[in-house]
Amino acid sequence: MPVMRLATVFGVASRIMSVTTLLLKRLTLVVAIIAGGYNSLSVFGQQVLGLDDALIQTLVPADANCCRLIPGDQLWVISTRQSGESCACSDPEQVSVQVMQFVDCHWRGSTWEALQRECAQNGDLTNLIYVHGNFTDFGWSLRRGCQLYENLLGSGGARGRRLCNRSGCAGQVCRCQPVRVILWSWQSEREALPPCDFWIKSDRAQKEGARFNAALRDLPMERPVVIGYSLGVQVILAALLQDEAAADRSPWRVALLAPVLNCDFPAYLCQTMSLHQRVESMVLFTNCRDRALKTANRAVRLRTRSTPYDQYHLAARLSQLTSDFRQYEIGCESGGKHAIVHYTEQSTVQVIVRELFQQAHPQSDGSLNGPPEDQGQDDQ
């Protein structure tokens, strides 16, 4: 009984904090609109909030402009943070998105139409879409996206110098195939105390999957690489279940790291017959030592009074739903730290994710598969 009363108190307090945070964000948006910082238009079934460059510089932390982008690569962000939770998330016309592109060492405002046009005109670029996890505000979503790019595909010291061994590449950072990285930034900043914050975000992540699915359906991409981390895994899996039998869509190559699921989602997953048409290949990185995953399991147990559907249950189910599925246990390599930067510094993750990119371009020389020479540490 005391545990139930405590959970009830936490639930009420978390909802108050959530409503207060949402009201403050709405007030900020209204002020920005009045000041002329936003311009709104409807294009390709989605409401797009365009941002003026001057306003962007006030929203983006200075160190988020430090991404070391290799010439030829592209870095974009799609943000649904202004959508809130009041919309009918299954209806793409109710989705409000912000689009930005990293150009000349700065984030600059763009449009959904520009991103669509870029994907259609430069179809040779391999597309990577990254969905972050919980406790991530807008600034950190940009930072972590840049760090993931640098660790896996970018110019992170010796890693970048080993990405291409062709003649003419000596002494400079280059890659055999340019990439377009798109960061999916969703509302996941801290809103309440645990475990209530986890319950709020896991529910939201499942709804976010409909937005993610609707957006990618409107972008002309061939065989994109989709990476999800922590609760970002929930967003991706929920998106895949939106139209699991859509044969007219290009299949995804999916990498899932440190998966966390909403406690209601396994029931939907068990009803799914197959993901063969939506997923070309899928890899799942599990970690038996990850402390945050253990905390999430305790939160689920507190809410449901039953055994959590953990990362290993998920691996068993996904192996039945996809024709090309691989699981990698990296607990001994990664340890208990729960951070995307830390995960993407592990050689196993780097090699396997680069293999997903090589699948799109089998004519390449395979230089993306070389392991990194150094291993860094992330303090966040």
Side-chain angles (χ1 to χ4, degrees):
M1 291 298 294
V3 175
M4 292 297 295
R5 291 195 187 97
L6 182 60
T8 302
V9 172
F10 273 129
V12 173
S14 66
R15 296 311 300 173
I16 293 175
M17 293 179 62
S18 177
V19 171
T20 302
T21 302
L22 186 60
L23 289 175
L24 289 174
K25 289 181 178 178
R26 291 293 180 269
L27 179 60
T28 302
L29 178 59
V30 170
V31 172
I33 293 175
I34 295 175
Y38 286 93
N39 53 83
S40 179
L41 63 154
S42 179
V43 59
F44 293 105
Q46 306 221 17
Q47 182 186 4
V48 179
L49 294 177
L51 296 118
D52 293 340
D53 291 341
L55 179 60
I56 289 177
Q57 301 312 313
T58 66
L59 299 175
V60 176
D63 57 355
N65 287 318
C66 300
C67 192
R68 294 172 292 183
L69 199 63
I70 294 177
D73 289 354
Q74 297 180 7
L75 184 60
W76 297 73
V77 62
I78 301 174
S79 174
T80 62
R81 291 177 181 270
Q82 297 299 333
S83 296
E85 297 182 274
S86 60
C87 68
C89 298
S90 60
D91 184 356
E93 293 184 357
Q94 299 297 320
V95 179
S96 299
V97 298
Q98 299 169 350
V99 180
M100 298 192 305
Q101 184 180 11
F102 192 77
V103 180
D104 297 331
C105 298
H106 290 286
W107 286 101
R108 303 189 183 279
S110 187
T111 65
W112 182 260
E113 184 180 20
L115 177 57
Q116 268 202 328
R117 184 170 57 250
E118 177 58 40
C119 291
Q121 293 178 351
N122 294 316
D124 292 338
L125 273 68
T126 303
N127 294 284
L128 181 151
I129 301 93
Y130 169 63
V131 186
H132 60 75
N134 196 14
F135 292 164
T136 305
D137 60 21
F138 183 63
W140 276 111
S141 70
L142 301 181
R143 292 187 185 99
R144 291 311 190 208
C146 289
Q147 291 166 337
L148 174 137
Y149 163 79
E150 292 180 357
N151 283 355
L152 294 181
L153 302 166
S155 56
R159 301 185 187 89
R161 290 191 292 274
R162 289 179 58 87
L163 287 179
C164 184
N165 298 317
R166 298 176 303 170
S167 60
C169 289
Q172 57 180 310
V173 175
C174 62
R175 192 192 302 105
C176 299
Q177 180 64 35
V179 299
R180 179 186 299 111
V181 179
I182 301 176
L183 313 177
W184 184 268
S185 183
W186 60 287
Q187 187 182 350
S188 62
E189 53 267 48
R190 186 189 298 269
E191 297 180 14
L193 297 174
C196 296
D197 188 271
F198 170 76
W199 297 340
I200 295 171
K201 303 306 177 41
S202 62
D203 290 343
R204 184 180 300 157
Q206 187 170 341
K207 298 174 183 177
E208 187 73 15
R211 299 175 177 175
F212 186 72
N213 180 67
L216 264 63
R217 186 174 56 223
D218 289 337
L219 291 177
M221 295 181 178
E222 291 294 327
R223 306 168 68 202
V225 176
V226 183
I227 299 179
Y229 171 72
S230 192
L231 273 178
V233 172
Q234 174 65 84
V235 175
I236 292 173
L237 291 179
L240 288 172
L241 266 59
Q242 290 296 310
D243 43 7
E244 60 204 62
D248 59 335
R249 300 183 58 179
S250 181
W252 299 355
R253 288 163 291 150
V254 182
L256 308 175
L257 297 90
V260 179
L261 297 182
N262 178 276
C263 58
D264 297 327
F265 186 72
Y268 299 100
L269 197 62
C270 291
Q271 296 172 4
T272 303
M273 301 303 296
S274 173
L275 293 176
H276 297 308
Q277 293 181 315
R278 291 296 309 276
V279 177
E280 178 180 318
S281 60
M282 178 180 288
V283 294
L284 175 65
F285 297 95
T286 57
N287 184 350
C288 62
R289 298 185 179 184
D290 191 310
R291 293 184 292 269
L293 297 185
K294 296 178 180 179
T295 301
N297 287 337
R298 288 194 291 269
V300 171
R301 186 179 293 111
L302 179 63
R303 187 176 188 178
T304 63
R305 302 298 180 184
S306 61
T307 303
Y309 192 90
D310 64 13
Q311 53 188 329
Y312 301 104
H313 293 100
L314 177 63
R317 182 56 180 157
L318 291 178
S319 66
Q320 300 171 347
L321 298 178
T322 56
S323 57
D324 182 5
F325 176 81
R326 291 172 289 166
Q327 176 193 353
Y328 297 90
E329 171 59 45
I330 59 173
C332 294
E333 182 180 355
S334 180
K337 193 170 187 177
H338 188 78
I340 183 59
V341 178
H342 180 65
Y343 269 79
T344 54
E345 285 176 340
Q346 310 311 313
S347 59
T348 299
V349 175
Q350 293 178 343
V351 170
I352 299 305
V353 171
R354 290 170 187 171
E355 285 181 358
L356 293 180
F357 278 86
Q358 188 183 0
Q359 290 174 10
H361 302 278
Q363 74 278 10
S364 67
D365 61 6
S367 60
L368 286 176
N369 291 327
E373 293 181 352
D374 60 341
Q375 291 292 325
Q377 294 295 326
D378 173 40
D379 294 329
Q380 298 296 331

